[in-house]
Amino acid sequence: MSFRVVMHSESNSGRRAVAIVTGGSRGIGRTIVEQLAAAGMAVRFTFIRNDAAAFAVVEEQRAAGRVVDAVKVDARDGAASSEMVERTIADLGSVDVLVNNAGITRDRLLFAMAPEDWSSVLETSLNGLFGATKPASKQMMRQRSGRIINLTSVSGLVGMPGQTNYCAAKAAIIGFTRSLAKEMARFAVCVNAVAPGYIDTDMLATLTPEQRNTAIYRVPMQRMGTSSEVASVVTFLALAAPQYLTGQVIVVDGGLTG
């Protein structure tokens, strides 16, 4: 299922600025979609499983007069991710902001981890990252402007037991971000990453009350973060951050890794 929309307002350059958000139907991704759309961008987001959730986001944003649509794309499929970006550029005229947010967890101690638990986590985080960013970066190089924001995690900075797959994927995103930032800097394109800590979304819904309390105890702020707090940092990097800010990992974790 896919939802399409035609832009109905223009910027000074003759078009509305365009953002792509991968994994935008729930959690942090959904809030990023909402904040970028509220700022006046035309937003296209991807989803993979929950058609009803994606439709709800689109309908809610359109009801508020915002320009949002959704496309079903499996982030494990790099070619499909590339095609989605190329189609967006053809449909909407450009891409000004790319937020690589899609990711999953399959937590298990390494000795008990199935090969598919390893591959599905890395493929979801990295195949789509490569697939979406390659055509987006080419477009941004041509227009000599753009912002790329990659969602990583504190797990990629410090490691977490039972998350060797997730930590490997998120650490790879950090390396990708820093390398690409150096490649894109001379084209006036900024590339940064945001590393959330414990954020109160459905990704943590499987925690038992004891595990949740243990997690909160470790955070100096003594609470979990909200998706809005993470999305606000992403929105700042997308729309308000100085151009000289690039190649950085912004940690949003309540002091956990401080």
Side-chain angles (χ1 to χ4, degrees):
M1 179 183 295
S2 135
F3 312 97
R4 303 291 182 185
V5 69
V6 177
M7 293 183 294
H8 55 70
S9 65
E10 297 180 346
S11 66
N12 292 334
S13 63
R15 63 171 178 82
R16 184 186 292 267
V18 176
I20 295 172
V21 180
T22 67
S25 64
R26 62 188 179 89
I28 293 170
R30 176 174 182 160
T31 309
I32 292 169
V33 169
E34 293 168 349
Q35 290 196 11
L36 293 179
M41 301 195 79
V43 183
R44 175 165 293 174
F45 70 88
T46 68
F47 68 102
I48 181 55
R49 290 187 184 86
N50 195 331
D51 292 22
F55 183 75
V57 175
V58 171
E59 290 298 293
E60 179 182 283
Q61 293 304 302
R62 289 183 178 178
R66 297 167 185 167
V67 182
V68 174
D69 71 348
V71 182
K72 181 176 273 189
V73 177
D74 188 340
R76 295 171 297 180
D77 187 339
S81 297
S82 292
E83 183 181 354
M84 176 272 299
V85 172
E86 290 165 355
R87 181 65 183 176
T88 300
I89 294 169
D91 288 348
L92 304 181
S94 186
V95 56
D96 301 284
V97 172
L98 171 64
V99 181
N100 288 301
N101 170 70
I104 60 171
T105 57
R106 295 288 185 271
D107 294 354
R108 196 176 299 272
L109 294 175
L110 183 63
F111 78 86
M113 186 176 292
E116 56 268 26
D117 293 332
W118 173 266
S119 60
S120 63
V121 169
L122 269 74
E123 288 171 1
T124 300
S125 287
L126 302 181
N127 290 4
L129 175 72
F130 171 76
T133 306
K134 183 176 178 179
S137 65
K138 286 182 179 179
Q139 174 64 27
M140 292 176 181
M141 288 166 67
R142 284 193 290 267
Q143 64 198 31
R144 290 189 172 270
S145 67
R147 303 288 174 101
I148 298 171
I149 302 116
N150 303 318
L151 270 292
T152 178
S153 169
V154 295
S155 295
L157 292 169
V158 300
M160 296 288 180
Q163 287 194 324
T164 51
N165 49 3
Y166 188 71
C167 294
K170 294 303 183 180
I173 291 172
I174 293 171
F176 178 96
T177 298
R178 288 174 170 158
S179 179
L180 185 62
K182 289 180 169 61
E183 294 181 13
M184 300 298 290
R186 66 192 180 99
F187 298 99
V189 176
C190 301
V191 186
N192 292 288
V194 176
Y198 293 115
I199 306 299
D200 198 7
T201 67
D202 57 1
M203 189 172 277
L204 296 183
T206 58
L207 293 180
T208 66
E210 182 179 0
Q211 290 171 326
R212 186 180 179 88
N213 289 336
T214 299
I216 291 173
Y217 179 78
R218 296 179 59 198
V219 179
M221 204 163 279
Q222 291 294 286
R223 67 173 177 87
M224 290 192 174
T226 68
S227 60
S228 180
E229 288 173 312
V230 178
S232 293
V233 176
V234 174
T235 301
F236 168 75
L237 292 172
L239 300 174
Q243 193 177 72
Y244 213 56
L245 175 58
T246 193
Q248 303 304 306
V249 180
I250 312 300
V251 180
V252 187
D253 70 353
L256 177 66
T257 58

